[in-house]
Amino acid sequence: MARTVGSHGPKTMEAIRKAGLKLIHEHGYEAMTLRQLAAEVGVQVGSLYNHISTKQDLLYDLIKTHMDALFAELAKVEAKTAGQGPVERLKAFIFFHVTYHILRKREVFIGASELRSLDPNHYEDIVGLRRQYEKRLMAILDDGRAQGLFQIPDIAVAAYGILAMLTGVCTWFRPSGRLSREDVAQVYCDMVLRGLVPDSQLSDTCSLR
């Protein structure tokens, strides 16, 4: 790979992140070496230390950057749906989660499979962020149950199940497939709502399309 111009600045750090995502996704965190990373970026190994102190710092940065971006984009969705009912907010959350994660398969894979590789402090930080994200969905589900729109015996279990199903799209979705990511999001939206909304309210309370 051609040498990255300069060894300082945000462009080089972004190149390190991109290369780190690629190598960890392909080889795993433990197997990837800083020598491989430097070669992929096109710099000397010593130059990496201008940007990251250790391989652990890189892993944390990759996962934290992904979580920060996730929250930033979710905030935009929440701003657009502020004041709307729980059904519309749940639809928006589902569409956001599915389409966002489809476009970031490497980040999602690393965030899930390499979470165990973080040191204790970094692990607790990321797990805390994940819990915050889960609580955003739980709040929607709780509002829907309180208003009599959703039938949910356990909010936490429902949220974990929904998130697991939605995130699983990353394992099988292909851009060249017969359905677009929006089509897939709609299928998931319909399934989730049909599992939460009483049959008697589906036609008039919840427009699925």
Side-chain angles (χ1 to χ4, degrees), residues 25-51:
H25 183 258
E26 292 177 353
H27 306 291
Y29 170 75
E30 293 297 336
M32 188 203 75
T33 68
L34 291 181
R35 188 173 299 278
Q36 287 177 313
L37 180 64
E40 184 71 23
V41 176
V43 299
Q44 298 297 316
V45 175
S47 296
L48 292 176
Y49 295 106
N50 292 320
H51 307 277

Side-chain angles (χ1 to χ4, degrees), residues 20 40-42 44 54 56 84 98 107 115 129 133 148 153 170 181 187:
E40 184 71 23
V41 176
Q44 298 297 316
T54 64
Q56 173 67 206
Q84 295 185 14
V98 171
E107 291 90 337
L115 186 64
L129 291 174
Y133 187 78
C170 296
R181 60 178 183 268
V187 171

Side-chain angles (χ1 to χ4, degrees), residues 20 52 83 94 100 109 205:
I52 58 172
I94 293 170
Y100 181 93
F109 176 83
T205 306

Side-chain angles (χ1 to χ4, degrees), residues 28 35 41 67 70-71 75 86-87 115 157 165 169 183 187 191 195 209:
R35 188 173 299 278
V41 176
M67 293 301 299
L70 178 68
F71 276 104
V87 172
L115 186 64
V157 172
M165 180 177 72
V169 71
D183 291 334
V187 171
M191 288 194 296
R209 295 287 176 179

Side-chain angles (χ1 to χ4, degrees), residues 16 26 44 57 64-65 95 99 112 114 118 176 199 201 206:
I16 290 172
E26 292 177 353
Q44 298 297 316
D57 286 344
K64 179 66 162 53
T65 298
F95 269 82
T99 55
E114 298 295 353
L118 291 170
S176 58
D199 290 342
Q201 299 182 32
C206 304

